[in-house]
DNA sequence: CGGAATCCCGTGCGATACTG
DNA sequence: CAGTATCGCACGGGATTCCG
């Protein structure tokens, strides 16, 4: 139990896949990256992530919390204030997730170009 | 055009998000990792990835091909032989994706434990 | 062997509106 | 401010069957 058991992503029965699915969630990367710089409030998070509805943001945060990646702290004030912060586990996710985002940002042009080219070919452009 | 333009994942209008979605696909990580060691045939890929139906594997491969991450080579033989290999772009994805898989495999235990604990609390276990 | 075709279902996600 | 409540739907993905 205490010896850090390691999963196998290629084993269909291994829950490692569910962990990959979690990272694969549409908002996980953005939320982790947003919180990487420090705790944020709900509204701040909403602005930073951009184009996410409150419902979905709430659901994503609950899910991340459930997996132990973030902590939620509610302050009994008026008006209400709630802060979200990465846990140690969440902090450990910053590195791989940042690498992923960097890769995405650097290669988005190439990928979009490829998609467009394929579309053009499908439409017959280039060999008329 | 030729200066490597960099995206911004936090900009909702930036296609970088679609790139993140691609990596977030349930099978992308496994397929990239499987091909990281070298080209594989359809059937081999199926075995290696595990528990993926032909239809979904085909769809995933087409999608990856469309984004320029893998190449498909069909040999006109009997029986048919088709090989899939990473492109240069796909090769560049190995590093971040490997980091992600490693993280998932190393932290799956902690995450599952967290999920279970929350479930238990929801059922009242631990404070009866 | 490497798919394609068809049927089908859960659910992630979005839009809108309301509340403690 | 920080959510909840409802509605709705596209669609990713699975099971099954058949084809060149």
């Amino acid at each position: 139990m205490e010896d850090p058991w390691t999963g196998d992503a290629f084993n269909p029965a291994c829950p490692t896949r569910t962990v990959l699915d979690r990272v694969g969630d549409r908002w996980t990367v953005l939320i982790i990256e947003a919180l990487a710089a420090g705790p944020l409030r709900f509204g701040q998070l909403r602005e930073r992530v951009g184009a996410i509805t409150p419902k979905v943001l709430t659901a994503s945060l609950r899910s991340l919390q459930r997996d132990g990646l973030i902590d939620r702290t509610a302050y009994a004030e008026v008006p209400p204030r709630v802060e979200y912060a990465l846990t140690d586990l969440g902090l450990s996710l910053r590195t791989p997730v940042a690498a992923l985002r960097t890769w995405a940002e650097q290669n988005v042009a190439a990928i979009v170009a490829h998609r467009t080219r394929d579309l053009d070919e499908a439409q017959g452009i280039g060999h008329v």
Side-chain angles (χ1 to χ4, degrees), chain A:
Chain A
M1 260 310 198
E2 57 234 281
D3 86 294
W5 171 69
T6 264
D8 173 17
F10 286 108
N11 180 356
C14 180
T16 294
R17 297 208 169 183
T18 71
V19 174
L20 283 176
D21 288 349
R22 131 120 337 289
V23 179
D25 174 284
R26 179 160 190 194
W27 302 105
T28 296
V29 170
L30 293 178
I31 293 176
I32 297 291
E33 285 277 272
L35 292 178
L40 287 178
R41 303 177 55 171
F42 188 87
Q44 296 174 316
L45 213 36
R46 230 190 127 176
E47 281 181 39
R48 182 84 180 103
V49 170
I52 184 173
T53 63
K55 171 195 157 183
V56 174
L57 179 55
T58 300
S60 303
L61 291 171
R62 293 274 189 279
S63 184
L64 289 165
Q65 191 184 0
R66 195 173 87 89
D67 285 0
L69 295 173
I70 66 174
D71 270 336
R72 192 190 107 114
T73 311
Y75 298 89
E77 304 173 357
V78 179
R81 181 165 60 97
V82 179
E83 278 195 352
Y84 294 90
L86 294 179
T87 61
D88 286 347
L89 193 56
L91 287 170
S92 75
L93 185 52
R94 277 183 312 174
T95 306
V97 151
L100 203 59
R101 174 165 78 104
T102 301
W103 185 90
E105 290 180 343
Q106 288 177 347
N107 296 99
V108 57
I111 291 181
V112 168
H114 233 280
R115 286 179 187 168
T116 308
R117 169 143 42 101
D118 288 351
L119 277 178
D120 292 347
E121 285 169 3
Q123 288 173 3
I125 299 177
H127 63 79
V128 180

